[in-house]
Amino acid sequence: RLLAEHGLIGLPLRDAALAQPLRFRDPATDPAARPAEIGKGTMAIRSRLAGMLDASLYELDRYDLDVSTTLDAQLQHQVSEFLGRLSDPGFARAQGLFGERMLSPNRMEAVRYSFNLVERTEAGNRVRVQTDTTDQPLDINEGSKLELGSTAKLRVLATYLEIVAELHQRLSGLSAAELRTLKVESRDRLTLWGVEYLASAPDRSLEAMLQAALERRYSASPGESFFTGGGVHSFSNFRREDNGRIVTVREALQGSINLPFVRLLRDVVRHTMYQVPGSSARLLEDDGDPRRHEYLGRFADREGQVFLRRFWSRYHGKKPEEIRSAFLEGVRPGAERLAAAYLYLSPQATPEQLGNFLRERLPGEALPAERVSRLHARNGPGAYDLPDRGYVARVHPLELWLVRFLAQRPDANWNDAVKASAEERQAVYRWLFRTRYKGAQDTRIYTMLEVEAFLDIHRRWARLGYPFGHLVPSLATALGSSGDRPAALAELMGIIVNDGVRRATLRMDRLDFAAGTPYETRFVRELAAGERVMAPEVAAALRNALSEVVEGGTARRLAGAFKLADGTALALGGKTGTGDNRIVIGRGGMRGVALNRTATFVFYLGPRHFGTLTAYVVGPEAASYGFTSALPVQILKSMGPVLLPRLQVTNSCLRQELAGQIKQIE
């Protein structure tokens, strides 16, 4: 009656329903069916589906709905069972997981594992396995933010080779004489190298230039201090034996050596400072021009909008609390930085409110009331102008301004933001030239240039599937400080395997609602063409470099491990990474509160499969574990008998497809 009264059903259907006798189930003779066992794959599909339908899991359970997924149910079960047995010391020993930089029999209970395997097809990247060993609904593959260590070097390498490809496109059409007349900023070492290479190389092809770029050499010495992220930092290598070496980029990737990648990212940052549209690096070029102030005013108005537009696209359309949360997630943890940002966004906040906020964001740091009061007084309203506050918070001042503006005026449009920010855009650039002491001026200028450069680097990473809205503007990002997700790393590997094309990641093929009823509705995924996000030559160079990590680098225990029934060895490549994430207390470095320890291997396996395997420990007990990426590499090797039957079938199908194509051509 209610359905008919509200027009949801017609009167004939109402009358037919009212005439139908109701027969209730007898629980004694017909007990309720037990719910099916819900594994991690099913749980991941249910959570994703609930989000798509804007429904709770309770509501989802009451839908008349059949879902066809891409998961290989048998393989999903086998992999989940295999990973679950790794907590058994006897089974772990049989898989070769005990030893240096791996596990010990008395230290196993807190280690969790996650694994995903994806198959590339013409229809898209189809997830075949997605599982982890947590007993929580959270899916570590997609729902986490973990420091995955040296896997970040793969993202740095991809950005570096993309820049080399751009230099080739821009410069390869010039003659040697024309190249030698180009004026290049002396700090832009990548452009200088590109000009020098193309002016003298006998082979000017992109493939040859990419290989030459992988042969560029960097020092592995930890003796240099780096001004980055607004302060002076030092970095170390995992192996002391690497400290005195000067290695190629290729060798640094194979051995996962830290310092060459820190220096490589510095070159990328400096190149970006002078190449990205809107960079204020040009402000430093001519300090003697009498028209400087007029030029600066025009520059600030025009180029300030470039950065404001980037922040606008990031936050526009979100609710104020979502904007605030997304922004604060990108502020690097630190009491002074967080206090400066928080008190700009909440100028009326009391010291008590500031303390509660800081304790929530910095759970392992001592924050007595006296310290919070000092932070409140030092960062309260009127303590800084907008540019200085952005400098203290280590964020771009225009981003800080826009977050507060949209929180106060969530319905504002782009023109409103441009009009309201006129004074702020001028201030953000002019303040650089008002500092009294040149040393302090240069420090602040470089810090802001670095922030601007990382905005463009983040744009590149996001195009390749990086899942977060910010990068930490620091060279430590080369070693994983900006975080990542296993599923996002798998997506990057999929781009590389797909010759630079980013295809949709598929977990569901079809939704059938109310099958066999008058309301039957079927949704089938529309096939979409992939998007080219990387030059095919860059993807090929990356695949080759990653294969060398397995052939002679940090994953060499996998060399030749996966062979088909006919003895054919599957092509295999990947990148290892180890993360030791802790809040450091005091100077010197290693004391601190452990947050988590991770070890990851992102890989491609054969011509069509790729994925990630991660081992991790969360919480203070992570400090008592010393495993590295050798652990997931060995686990993947041990999983060979589980995975190979699936790979065998896929490889046979691929051979049949190729044979059919060859016959058709003939």
Side-chain angles (χ1 to χ4, degrees):
R1 293 188 185 92
L2 286 172
L3 291 172
E5 185 179 319
H6 288 82
L8 298 175
I9 63 173
L11 297 181
L13 182 57
R14 179 203 63 183
D15 295 339
L18 290 174
Q20 181 71 20
L22 300 181
R23 297 183 178 87
F24 294 93
R25 177 176 53 83
D26 183 352
T29 60
D30 186 14
R34 293 182 177 274
E37 181 182 351
I38 298 180
K40 297 297 291 194
T42 303
M43 196 177 296
I45 295 295
R46 282 166 50 80
S47 298
R48 181 172 290 270
L49 188 60
M52 291 168 58
L53 300 176
D54 193 23
S56 68
L57 292 177
Y58 178 87
E59 293 170 321
L60 187 67
D61 285 340
R62 282 145 185 83
Y63 279 19
D64 184 350
L65 171 60
D66 290 329
V67 183
S68 174
T69 80
T70 66
L71 297 176
D72 183 325
Q74 182 179 2
L75 187 59
Q76 172 87 12
H77 175 75
Q78 290 173 334
V79 170
S80 299
E81 184 180 37
F82 181 93
L83 295 178
R85 293 181 65 191
L86 294 180
S87 59
D88 176 2
F91 184 74
R93 185 184 300 279
Q95 307 310 314
L97 303 188
F98 294 155
E100 186 180 2
R101 299 175 185 171
M102 289 203 282
L103 298 177
S104 60
N106 59 340
R107 285 287 176 192
M108 298 182 60
E109 64 281 356
V111 186
R112 300 292 180 263
Y113 304 95
S114 73
F115 179 76
N116 71 335
L117 183 70
V118 187
E119 181 183 356
R120 72 178 181 95
T121 69
E122 291 302 317
N125 296 331
R126 301 170 70 81
V127 178
R128 298 307 189 190
V129 178
Q130 182 166 327
T131 187
D132 62 61
T133 60
T134 65
D135 55 0
Q136 302 296 322
L138 174 68
D139 178 20
I140 294 297
N141 286 292
E142 291 189 274
S144 62
K145 183 174 185 179
L146 298 171
E147 290 196 13
L148 300 179
S150 291
T151 55
K153 293 170 185 170
L154 175 56
R155 295 198 184 274
V156 173
L157 183 63
T159 301
Y160 167 58
L161 293 183
E162 281 187 313
I163 290 173
V164 172
E166 292 165 6
L167 289 171
H168 181 271
Q169 183 179 23
R170 180 157 58 94
L171 301 174
S172 61
L174 302 178
S175 67
E178 289 172 324
L179 286 168
R180 293 189 179 98
T181 63
L182 288 180
K183 183 180 179 181
V184 181
E185 165 61 41
S186 62
R187 290 164 65 88
D188 184 0
R189 294 183 58 192
L190 297 187
T191 302
L192 286 171
W193 174 82
V195 168
E196 181 182 348
Y197 173 81
L198 290 170
S200 58
D203 183 352
R204 281 177 146 224
S205 68
L206 176 55
E207 293 88 346
M209 188 171 179
L210 291 169
Q211 293 305 313
L214 289 169
E215 296 301 323
R216 291 181 65 238
R217 293 185 170 273
Y218 284 92
S219 168
S221 170
E224 180 182 2
S225 294
F226 298 83
F227 183 81
T228 183
V232 178
H233 296 262
S234 59
F235 302 96
S236 59
N237 295 311
F238 183 75
R239 297 172 65 251
R240 292 183 180 179
E241 296 87 340
D242 293 324
N243 291 351
R245 300 177 64 193
I246 297 177
V247 297
T248 65
V249 174
R250 189 190 307 275
E251 291 169 335
L253 182 73
Q254 291 176 22
S256 199
I257 308 173
N258 289 345
L259 268 300
F261 271 90
V262 171
R263 292 183 169 97
L264 177 60
L265 182 56
R266 180 174 62 182
D267 279 356
V268 169
V269 168
R270 288 178 175 174
H271 170 83
T272 305
M273 284 179 179
Y274 290 94
Q275 301 299 324
V276 60
S279 170
S280 55
R282 302 298 179 189
L283 290 175
L284 306 180
E285 291 184 351
D286 186 3
D287 57 1
D289 191 332
R291 299 167 297 175
R292 186 173 181 79
H293 288 288
E294 178 186 351
Y295 162 76
L296 182 58
R298 293 199 309 270
F299 178 94
D301 183 68
R302 182 181 69 252
E303 308 302 347
Q305 289 189 45
V306 172
F307 287 99
L308 192 67
R309 170 70 76 176
R310 294 182 187 178
F311 303 133
W312 176 265
S313 63
R314 180 181 298 168
Y315 297 118
H316 176 59
K318 289 185 170 67
K319 298 177 182 178
E321 59 271 19
E322 293 174 335
I323 294 173
R324 183 188 183 96
S325 176
F327 169 74
L328 289 172
E329 183 181 326
V331 179
R332 193 174 183 184
E336 197 77 38
R337 288 186 287 268
L338 287 169
Y342 175 78
L343 292 174
Y344 180 79
L345 301 178
S346 304
Q348 306 303 321
T350 64
E352 290 76 18
Q353 291 171 319
L354 172 63
N356 292 337
F357 167 78
L358 292 176
R359 292 183 186 96
E360 179 183 344
R361 290 275 167 173
L362 303 170
E365 189 164 343
L367 291 163
E370 309 83 59
R371 186 185 177 195
V372 172
S373 295
R374 290 196 301 271
L375 286 169
H376 188 277
R378 199 158 55 235
N379 295 281
Y384 303 111
D385 60 11
L386 176 62
D388 279 343
R389 192 171 290 273
Y391 172 76
V392 173
R394 300 295 188 266
V395 298
H396 200 287
L398 289 178
E399 181 178 16
L400 189 59
W401 175 86
L402 184 64
V403 168
R404 188 165 81 171
F405 174 77
L406 288 177
Q408 296 170 346
R409 297 182 55 186
D411 298 328
N413 59 35
W414 167 247
N415 291 332
D416 294 332
V418 171
K419 184 177 180 180
S421 64
E423 291 185 9
E424 283 76 11
R425 294 200 307 275
Q426 294 291 323
V428 163
Y429 290 92
R430 283 182 173 167
W431 72 278
L432 297 172
F433 302 90
R434 293 177 179 170
T435 307
R436 181 177 178 184
Y437 299 103
K438 188 176 186 306
Q441 182 185 77
D442 290 346
T443 296
R444 292 189 170 200
I445 289 173
Y446 188 85
T447 298
M448 288 309 303
L449 291 177
E450 190 176 47
V451 169
E452 291 177 349
F454 270 95
L455 290 172
D456 189 70
I457 293 169
H458 174 265
R459 176 186 61 81
R460 292 176 179 273
W461 284 28
R463 195 177 71 250
L464 301 181
Y466 183 72
F468 304 114
H470 298 80
L471 285 178
V472 177
S474 164
L475 299 182
T477 288
L479 309 181
S481 68
S482 287
D484 217 321
R485 282 179 179 154
L489 282 170
E491 185 171 14
L492 172 59
M493 189 62 76
I495 293 169
I496 296 170
V497 169
N498 280 314
D499 288 324
V501 175
R502 185 178 182 182
R503 298 188 182 277
T505 300
L506 310 179
R507 293 172 179 82
M508 288 172 274
D509 286 323
R510 193 178 71 248
L511 305 181
D512 293 322
F513 288 87
T517 78
Y519 304 99
E520 181 172 347
T521 305
R522 175 175 296 176
F523 292 88
V524 179
R525 180 175 291 278
E526 182 179 6
L527 298 182
E531 176 190 6
R532 177 159 297 287
V533 294
M534 178 187 289
E537 296 86 353
V538 172
L542 285 168
R543 278 199 308 274
N544 182 62
L546 292 171
S547 71
E548 293 169 347
V549 173
V550 172
E551 291 170 7
T554 53
R556 56 186 171 273
R557 68 178 65 220
L558 277 171
F562 283 79
K563 292 183 178 180
L564 301 177
D566 61 2
T568 303
L570 287 176
L572 181 59
K575 182 68 191 80
T576 57
T578 304
D580 183 10
N581 186 20
R582 60 183 69 208
I583 297 175
V584 176
I585 301 172
R587 296 181 180 272
M590 292 310 295
R591 290 190 307 115
V593 179
L595 299 180
N596 60 62
R597 185 174 185 86
T598 63
T600 301
F601 184 54
V602 53
F603 60 88
Y604 68 83
L605 183 53
R608 296 178 64 161
H609 289 86
F610 55 92
T612 58
L613 200 159
T614 302
Y616 56 95
V617 179
V618 177
E621 56 192 325
S624 61
Y625 286 84
F627 60 80
T628 67
S629 53
L631 178 60
V633 169
Q634 179 61 35
I635 292 173
L636 183 62
K637 181 179 180 180
S638 301
M639 286 173 61
V642 176
L643 300 177
L644 271 171
R646 170 74 194 191
L647 301 176
Q648 179 79 41
V649 171
T650 303
N651 197 66
S652 298
C653 293
L654 181 60
R655 287 182 177 179
Q656 291 174 8
E657 291 175 13
L658 291 174
Q661 292 171 6
I662 292 171
K663 187 174 182 180
Q664 187 176 16
I665 292 171
E666 291 173 346

